[in-house]
Amino acid sequence: MNLILLGAPGAGKGTLASYLIEKMGIPSISTGNILREAIKNNTPLGQQAKGFMDAGQLVPDDLVINLLKERIAKRDCKSGFILDGFPRTIPQAEALDEIANIDCALLVDVPYEVIEKRMTGRRVCLRCGATYHVEANPPRIQGVCDICGDKLVIRSDDQPEVVKRRHETYHEQTEPLIGYYDAQGKLKRIDGTQGIRETEKLAVEALGL
Ligand code: AP5
Ligand code: MG
């Protein structure tokens, strides 16, 4: 299955993706994680993306479309993939339609009030991309990634004013994708306000896994 996870910043796309990787046996591609890694390694892509990300804006379409094309051409995507954070604009969705058949766009629906709380407790691993929450999903050892042992950090775009800006960006540029996939008959929607396990259960039911 080629699956897209749609949802506002902080809705829980990355958290759900890490569960679905195991459940479905296919990789998840987070353009946000790829860009953060590029910034950490100070690559040309990272240098181009950093200013946009820190300001809560989208990175230009041509940059992310190219990186996504390269990534889904890799062998591990042959039997399916999960996209977390792509597409985020109509031109990105149209570019994706030219290179892959999308089976489903799953919207994780969470209102802003719930998201604000989640973001303040988020901790991430910049090495492997794992995401934690100090209360809802703490690591076994405080400040240390369960998966790769690297140090956990607060994302630089998780300050409240940038979170707000990311939300505005989402409303303006990404929300139209809900209608785009609905018109194609591919949209499914789940309530993402419940706990992590409940959300996983709703996704399994919605996807018929
Ligand atoms: P990206 O990394 O994709 O960020 P985002 O979409 O803003 O989403 P987040 O990663 O913030 O949230 P999430 O939905 O994954 O939630 P999470 O699982 O972490 O993008 C970052 C930036 O990169 C963008 O702003 C843009 O600049 C750029 N970019 C990336 N892709 C791009 C593209 N295609 N085009 C252009 N620019 C692009 O969960 C949040 C927190 O809540 C965690 O702490 C988690 O533990 C906790 N949590 C999750 N689920 C639950 C639950 N059910 N109950 C309680 N807590 C929960
Ligand atoms: Mg994420």
Side-chain angles (χ1 to χ4, degrees):
M1 187 192 292
N2 295 335
L3 171 69
I4 293 169
L5 296 181
L6 281 180
K13 302 181 295 295
T15 303
L16 180 60
S18 60
Y19 168 77
L20 292 176
I21 292 170
E22 299 292 322
K23 184 85 188 165
M24 300 171 78
I26 52 177
S28 165
I29 301 163
S30 159
T31 40
N33 283 352
I34 296 172
L35 292 167
R36 276 184 289 282
E37 207 190 342
I39 291 173
K40 190 179 167 205
N41 296 328
N42 200 22
T43 66
L45 173 67
Q47 287 165 8
Q48 291 179 81
K50 188 174 185 335
F52 295 105
M53 290 174 75
D54 285 347
Q57 292 166 359
L58 294 182
V59 173
D61 282 339
D62 54 339
L63 283 183
V64 272
I65 289 170
N66 283 337
L67 87 80
L68 195 276
K69 278 185 183 167
E70 272 176 33
R71 181 61 189 87
I72 64 172
K74 291 196 176 154
R75 217 192 171 86
D76 64 337
C77 292
K78 291 289 173 253
S79 47
F81 51 78
I82 301 161
L83 296 182
D84 161 13
F86 187 100
R88 268 179 141 96
T89 62
I90 299 284
Q92 289 182 22
E94 288 169 348
L96 181 62
D97 277 340
E98 281 171 23
I99 54 168
N101 285 319
I102 297 304
D103 299 294
C104 175
L106 181 68
L107 172 66
V108 184
D109 217 352
V110 185
Y112 185 60
E113 308 79 72
V114 177
I115 284 175
E116 251 180 325
K117 260 190 228 146
R118 288 187 185 173
M119 297 303 235
T120 48
R122 175 159 64 178
R123 301 292 180 274
V124 298
C125 173
L126 290 180
R127 190 199 283 171
C128 74
T131 300
Y132 302 87
H133 188 279
V134 288
E135 284 162 14
N137 185 25
R140 282 194 292 272
I141 303 167
Q142 194 189 338
V144 179
C145 180
D146 289 350
I147 297 164
C148 74
D150 211 14
K151 179 170 76 94
L152 298 179
V153 298
I154 297 175
R155 263 170 53 174
S156 61
D157 59 353
D158 271 354
Q159 300 106 306
E161 67 282 9
V162 185
V163 170
K164 195 159 167 277
R165 182 70 196 107
R166 284 164 56 205
H167 261 270
E168 289 160 5
T169 305
Y170 172 77
H171 282 303
E172 288 157 16
Q173 299 188 59
T174 308
E175 247 173 15
L177 293 178
I178 298 173
Y180 181 90
Y181 288 109
D182 202 16
Q184 292 189 1
K186 293 176 179 170
L187 185 76
K188 292 200 161 107
R189 194 187 282 260
I190 57 169
D191 172 16
T193 61
Q194 312 295 307
I196 293 173
R197 297 288 96 79
E198 287 82 357
T199 306
E200 289 167 356
K201 226 176 124 214
L202 291 175
V204 166
E205 284 166 14
L207 297 171
L209 301 176

